[in-house]
Amino acid sequence: MAIKITAILFTLIGIALAVGGGQLLLLGGSAYYLACGLGFVLTAILLFLRNAIALRVYAVLVLASLAWAIWEVGFDWWQLGPRGGVIILIGIWLLTPWIRGPLGFSSPTGMRYGASSTPLAISVAVAIAVAIFSMFIDPLDQSGELPSQSVAAAPPMGGDVPPGEWHQYGRTPYGQRYSPLDQIKVDNVASLQEVWRYQTGDVKRPDDIGETTYQVTPLKVGNSLYLCTPHNLAIALDATTGKEKWKYDPNSGMNPDRQHQTCRGVSYYRDQAAAAGSPCAERVYLPTSDARLIALDAANGKVCTSFAENGTLHLETGMQYNPAGYYYSTSPPAIAGNKIVIGGAVNDNYSTQEQSGVIRAYDVNTGQLVWNWDSGNPTQTQPLQPGQTYTTNSPNSWSVFSVDEELGLVYIPLGNQVPDQLGMGRSENVEKYSSSIVALDLNTGADRWVRQTVHHDLWDMDVPAQPALLDLTRPDNTVVPALVGPTKQGDIYVLDRRTGEPILPVTEEPAPGGAIPEDRTAPTQPTSALTFKPRPLEERDMWGVTMFDQMICRIWYHQYSYEGRYTPPSLKGTIVYPGNFGTFNWGSVAVDPERQVMFGMPTYLAFTSRLVPRADIPPKAQDQKGSEQGLNRNDGAPYGVYMGPFLGPLQIPCQAPPWGYVAGADLRTGKVAYKHRNGTVYDMTPLPLPFKVGVPGIGGPMITKGGVAFLGAAVDNYLRAYDLTSGRELWRARLPAGGQATPMTYAVDDGRQFVVMVAGGHGSVGTKPGDHVIAYALPR
C-alpha cells in the first residue's frame, strides 16, 4: 500500500511540476521544472511497476537538482532550501523499508531482499552535506570595517544642544542621529539592562485603519522626555524614572480615510525673551492627524493660548479642496530663527483634488504666517492673502526637515504629485520639484537650490528621509558643508549643502521605456556614487517555502513587466524594485560627524503595481478604510492602481532573502564597508524560529561616540546594538511589541547614559502593536 500511495504522490507532483514548468518554459523561463516533473513521472511509473530502477532514477534526479541549484544560486542556504527541501525529504522516504522492500527481489530460497539503496543514499547524503555546509557560509555577506579614527576633533553638530540631551527629531537641527555620549561602548554594551518602562495607554483600536503605527522618537530637555502617540496624545515623562509628568489629549478623532494614524514626534522651543519659569517660556508643539498644530506649555501640558488661534494653527487654511482625513502632519516641524516650519502629508493616490503640498513658516511665538513655499507656484512666497488658495495637489513633504541656521537654509525632502504612477499633465514646476531635495531660504522661503533624485517619477519614489548635515573633510583636507540624503531607490546623495552640487559624483544612467500611450518616461535617471541600489531581479531570485510556490513566483515574474529599476507602470502589472517601502524610508541614516561615516538599514522588498482603467474600478465600499496597499482609486484620473508587496501564493515574498541589512559606508570616499543580514523570522512565522534571514524593517538608526549603533526597525521585535566599525551585532533586547521607531540616548543628572526605544508596532508591516516606552542603561 505504501508504495502505491507513494507512486500516486509522485504522479501528482510530476504532473504539477510538468504543467507549471511547461508554462514557465513557454514564458522564456527555466526548463528545470518541466524536466524535474518528467523525472517524477518516470519514477512514479517505475514505482507502480515495482521496479528497483526507480531508486536509481530518483538518485539521478537528486544529484541533477543539486547541481542545478548550485549553478543558479551557489551555496546560499536560503535559496537552496526551497529548491531541494521536498526532493530530499521524499528521497529519505524512498530509503525506508516500506518502499525498498517491495522493490527488491526474492532469492531461490524464498528470502526477500530490498532494492539496493546505495546510489540514492549517496545522492541524498551529498545533498544534505551541501545543505549543512551552506548553513555556515553566507555568499551575500559583505564584511569590512569603517575607518575608526576621528577625522574632525570637534565638528559642528548644529544647534546649541548639550551633549546629554536630544532636542530635535535627529537630536539637533542637523539631523545626524548622533550622540557625543560615550559611556556605553563596544566593550560594555552587552551589559545593558532595562531600567524603566512606561505605557502610554494609547493602543490600537478595533476601528483603526491598518497603518496605525508608533514611530515616535522622544525628545529630552532638562530632566524631561517629550513624546506623542499614534492618536496624538502628547506626554511628558521624568527622564530618570520614566514617571508621567503630564498628558494632553487633543481629541483628534478617528477618520477611516486617513492613510496613516501616527505621530513621529513633537518639537521643542525655548523662548529666550521670556522669563525662566513663566507660562509657555518653554513649549512643545504637537502636530495632529486632523491637520492642527498645537502649542503646549512644556512645564504642564496646558495649551499656550497666545499662539495662533487660542493655541492652535489650522493647517488646512488656504486649501482649495479640503476633504477630511486627506491631509495632516505626521512629522515634527523644524524650529529655527524664531520660525516653525511645517509641511504635511497628503493621502497617496486618493484623488487629483487633494490639498497643496505647501511648506509654511510661522512665527514660533505668535503663529503668524511669515512665508509659504508652494512647489506648484514656487516664486510666490509672500504670505497668502485671504481668499487665495495654494496650488491643488502640488508635491508635498511629509518627512522631517533639517536646518543650517548659519547658512540660513532649511532642507526639504519632497514627494510627488498624486497620482504617483501617472505623469500626464504635470506642470513644469511639478516636473522640476517632484522627488527632490530643496533648500529654502529660512527667512524668505525662496528656493536656493533643488536636487532631483528621480526624473518624472512614476513609482512613488519621493524623498522620504530627513537629510543629515555634517562638515565633510575631503582627501586634500578642505572642509565642505555637506548634506547626506538617503532615497527610496537606494542612492545616498552627498551634496554641498550650500549649492546642491554633488560632492560624490552623480551620473545619469539609461532607464527603461514603455510607458502607457498617454504618458512618457525619462530617458535617464540619476544615480549617486554612494548607492545601495539592488542589482536587477532575475528569475533565479524568485523564492518560496517549497519548489512549488517558487515555481509559481517564477511564472509570475515573467508575466509582469520588468526591465530593472524604473520599469514604468503598466496595465498588465509591473514589478517595482526597490518597492514602495524603499531601500531607505523616513528612518533615514545616522552619521558620525567625527569619523565621517554613516550607518543605515537598507531594505529590499519588491512591490507590484497594476494600472486599472477608470471604468473597471468598483464603487468604494462603505466600510473601506484608508490604505496605501490594494486598490488606490485616483479619483479624477483615468487610471487607478493596485499596489502591494510582490508576494507568492503562501503570502511570503516572491523575492529571495535577505530583505534587510545593516550597512556602513565611508562618506568621504563613497565606499560601502560592510553589509550584513539583519533580523530573524522569529515573529514572522507560526513557530518562533530564530533564523537570521535578513528581514525587512522600517525605522531608523542612532549612533554614539562610544562606537555603538542602535537600531530596532526589523520585523522581529528586538532592539539591537552594533559595532559601528564592523556592523557586528553586540547586544539585543526583546521588545514587547514592534520597534518601528528610531531610538535615542541621553544622560541624566548623575551622568548615567540611557538609551530609549518606543515599541508600538507598525500596521503596514504587521508587527505586534503596543504602547511601550523603554529605557536601558548599564548596571550601576
Side-chain angles (χ1 to χ4, degrees):
M1 178 62 70
I3 196 167
K4 183 178 294 186
I5 293 174
T6 302
I8 293 172
L9 176 64
F10 267 64
T11 301
L12 295 175
I13 291 174
I15 291 173
L17 290 174
V19 171
Q23 182 181 5
L24 179 61
L25 187 62
L26 290 174
L27 291 168
S30 172
Y32 165 76
Y33 291 89
L34 175 58
C36 184
L38 295 177
F40 268 94
V41 170
L42 177 58
T43 305
I45 293 171
L46 293 171
L47 289 173
F48 274 119
L49 298 175
R50 298 175 181 254
N51 191 323
I53 296 176
L55 300 187
R56 295 180 180 270
V57 169
Y58 197 76
V60 172
L61 180 60
V62 170
L63 291 176
S65 296
L66 178 62
W68 167 77
I70 294 173
W71 172 75
E72 272 211 324
V73 297
F75 294 99
D76 181 351
W77 190 87
W78 292 106
Q79 288 258 44
L80 292 176
R83 288 166 168 80
V86 170
I87 289 175
I88 299 307
L89 289 175
I90 291 177
I92 294 172
W93 170 250
L94 291 180
L95 293 172
T96 63
W98 305 286
I99 304 299
R100 288 174 45 238
L103 294 180
F105 63 95
S106 298
S107 70
T109 62
M111 292 292 292
R112 185 70 183 170
Y113 295 90
S116 173
S117 62
T118 302
L120 180 56
I122 291 174
S123 66
V124 169
V126 169
I128 292 175
V130 168
I132 293 173
F133 170 76
S134 68
M135 290 179 183
F136 293 94
I137 64 171
D138 186 355
L140 299 180
D141 183 78
Q142 179 180 339
S143 295
E145 292 193 346
L146 291 170
S148 58
Q149 69 276 14
S150 175
V151 179
M157 298 181 189
D160 185 18
V161 181
E165 302 199 351
W166 193 286
H167 284 194
Q168 299 200 20
Y169 185 78
R171 200 183 87 84
T172 78
Y174 278 15
Q176 295 170 345
R177 293 162 177 77
Y178 172 82
S179 170
L181 298 179
D182 61 0
Q183 184 181 101
I184 298 171
K185 303 177 185 294
V186 170
D187 58 3
N188 66 15
V189 66
S191 299
L192 279 181
Q193 55 187 222
E194 183 177 324
V195 292
W196 58 255
R197 179 180 297 205
Y198 169 81
Q199 290 186 257
T200 68
D202 185 2
V203 295
K204 190 170 184 178
R205 309 171 187 176
D207 56 343
D208 263 321
I209 59 170
E211 192 166 320
T212 298
T213 66
Y214 206 2
Q215 302 172 354
V216 68
T217 298
L219 307 183
K220 193 267 186 181
V221 184
N223 196 43
S224 295
L225 294 181
Y226 301 104
L227 61 142
C228 56
T229 71
H231 297 95
N232 307 129
L233 304 182
I235 299 172
L237 304 178
D238 184 290
T240 304
T241 65
K243 293 185 181 300
E244 182 181 305
K245 290 186 171 183
W246 56 257
K247 181 185 288 186
Y248 170 78
D249 185 352
N251 297 309
S252 56
M254 304 289 286
N255 190 317
D257 280 333
R258 294 174 188 160
Q259 272 184 335
H260 308 273
Q261 186 70 52
T262 192
C263 184
R264 296 191 182 93
V266 296
S267 301
Y268 168 81
Y269 168 69
R270 170 76 169 90
D271 184 357
Q272 299 298 327
S278 62
C280 293
E282 296 179 75
R283 300 182 185 185
V284 169
Y285 290 86
L286 172 69
T288 70
S289 51
D290 59 351
R292 290 178 290 159
L293 181 66
I294 303 172
L296 304 173
D297 190 327
N300 52 34
K302 294 182 179 179
V303 175
C304 298
T305 55
S306 61
F307 177 77
E309 298 177 32
N310 293 316
T312 299
L313 264 176
H314 294 277
L315 299 176
E316 73 276 10
T317 302
M319 305 298 179
Q320 182 177 1
Y321 300 101
N322 186 34
Y326 279 42
Y327 180 80
Y328 36 89
S329 180
T330 59
S331 298
I335 298 178
N338 292 321
K339 300 174 187 66
I340 185 164
V341 186
I342 191 168
V346 300
N347 282 348
D348 274 346
N349 308 325
Y350 269 40
S351 169
T352 59
Q353 295 182 344
E354 297 201 10
Q355 289 91 338
S356 174
V358 61
I359 311 299
R360 287 172 285 193
Y362 298 90
D363 184 294
V364 71
N365 292 301
T366 66
Q368 182 178 355
L369 183 63
V370 178
W371 54 255
N372 36 235
W373 183 80
D374 177 359
S375 56
N377 184 21
T379 60
Q380 182 60 45
T381 60
Q382 293 296 318
L384 196 70
Q385 297 302 307
Q388 294 182 315
T389 57
Y390 300 113
T391 307
T392 295
N393 197 23
S394 53
N396 67 304
S397 183
W398 52 267
S399 192
V400 186
F401 309 155
S402 299
V403 178
D404 185 332
E405 201 161 354
E406 288 189 9
L407 291 178
L409 295 177
V410 54
Y411 300 96
I412 313 294
L414 265 186
N416 214 335
Q417 174 181 288
V418 177
D420 292 310
Q421 288 75 26
L422 300 174
M424 306 90 77
R426 292 178 181 170
S427 70
E428 183 179 343
N429 287 327
V430 168
E431 292 286 11
K432 176 181 178 180
Y433 292 106
S434 286
S435 305
S436 66
I437 302 170
V438 178
L440 300 182
D441 188 297
L442 185 58
N443 293 315
T444 68
D447 61 89
R448 298 265 285 270
W449 58 258
V450 56
R451 169 63 56 175
Q452 190 167 65
T453 65
V454 181
H455 307 318
H456 196 67
D457 184 357
L458 302 175
W459 306 272
D460 190 24
M461 292 298 172
D462 43 10
V463 181
Q466 178 186 25
L469 312 181
L470 78 161
D471 285 2
L472 202 59
T473 304
R474 284 180 157 170
D476 62 2
N477 288 323
T478 59
V479 177
V480 182
L483 175 149
V484 179
T487 63
K488 282 186 176 181
Q489 59 270 28
D491 295 315
I492 305 280
Y493 286 83
V494 182
L495 310 173
D496 185 326
R497 66 176 182 267
R498 298 168 298 188
T499 64
E501 290 302 309
I503 296 174
L504 296 179
V506 175
T507 56
E508 293 284 336
E509 298 181 354
I516 57 175
E518 304 96 317
D519 208 341
R520 64 176 181 85
T521 58
T524 64
Q525 292 288 357
T527 296
S528 174
L530 175 52
T531 185
F532 290 89
K533 69 177 181 180
R535 66 170 178 80
L537 289 173
E538 301 176 55
E539 184 196 316
R540 64 187 174 94
D541 297 313
M542 296 301 102
W543 198 64
V545 173
T546 68
M547 61 192 305
F548 306 108
D549 53 320
Q550 184 182 59
M551 177 182 68
I552 293 172
C553 282
R554 286 175 179 252
I555 292 170
W556 290 351
Y557 168 84
H558 285 286
Q559 290 175 335
Y560 280 111
S561 175
Y562 181 67
E563 299 177 55
R565 198 166 64 150
Y566 304 120
T567 303
S570 62
L571 290 167
K572 75 172 186 176
T574 293
I575 295 175
V576 181
Y577 186 60
N580 297 62
F581 274 175
T583 307
F584 298 98
N585 207 290
W586 54 263
S588 193
V589 298
V591 302
D592 183 332
E594 296 189 26
R595 294 167 60 177
Q596 303 189 358
V597 298
M598 60 144 281
F599 179 87
M601 183 194 62
T603 295
Y604 302 99
L605 192 63
F607 271 54
T608 62
S609 68
R610 179 171 62 85
L611 298 178
V612 186
R614 173 61 48 201
D616 297 338
I617 297 176
K620 183 178 179 179
Q622 286 188 347
D623 59 349
Q624 185 174 333
K625 293 182 179 179
S627 176
E628 288 187 279
Q629 299 183 23
L631 175 62
N632 286 213
R633 305 182 63 83
N634 288 340
D635 290 338
Y639 298 93
V641 60
Y642 276 103
M643 293 169 47
F646 184 20
L647 302 179
L650 300 181
Q651 295 303 293
I652 63 172
C654 265
Q655 155 209 352
W659 307 299
Y661 289 88
V662 290
D666 187 333
L667 294 171
R668 301 176 71 205
T669 65
K671 301 298 183 185
V672 176
Y674 57 79
K675 280 179 68 179
H676 304 309
R677 293 178 192 255
N678 183 56
T680 69
V681 294
Y682 193 92
D683 294 296
M684 295 179 68
T685 57
L687 296 176
L689 303 173
F691 297 144
K692 192 174 183 179
V693 177
V695 297
I698 190 164
M702 177 267 292
I703 58 182
T704 71
K705 189 173 182 176
V708 181
F710 290 91
L711 176 69
V715 294
D716 60 352
N717 302 333
Y718 289 97
L719 172 64
R720 293 180 168 89
Y722 308 83
D723 183 340
L724 175 61
T725 300
S726 66
R728 178 172 57 95
E729 184 179 318
L730 302 172
W731 167 86
R732 64 179 172 179
R734 183 71 175 159
L735 297 173
Q740 281 67 57
T742 301
M744 51 84 73
T745 187
Y746 59 88
V748 293
D749 291 342
D750 65 1
R752 196 179 186 196
Q753 183 180 353
F754 284 29
V755 173
V756 166
M757 181 70 190
V758 169
H762 194 290
S764 289
V765 297
T767 51
K768 182 180 177 181
D771 64 339
H772 301 80
V773 184
I774 307 173
Y776 304 88
L778 296 173
R780 291 188 183 276

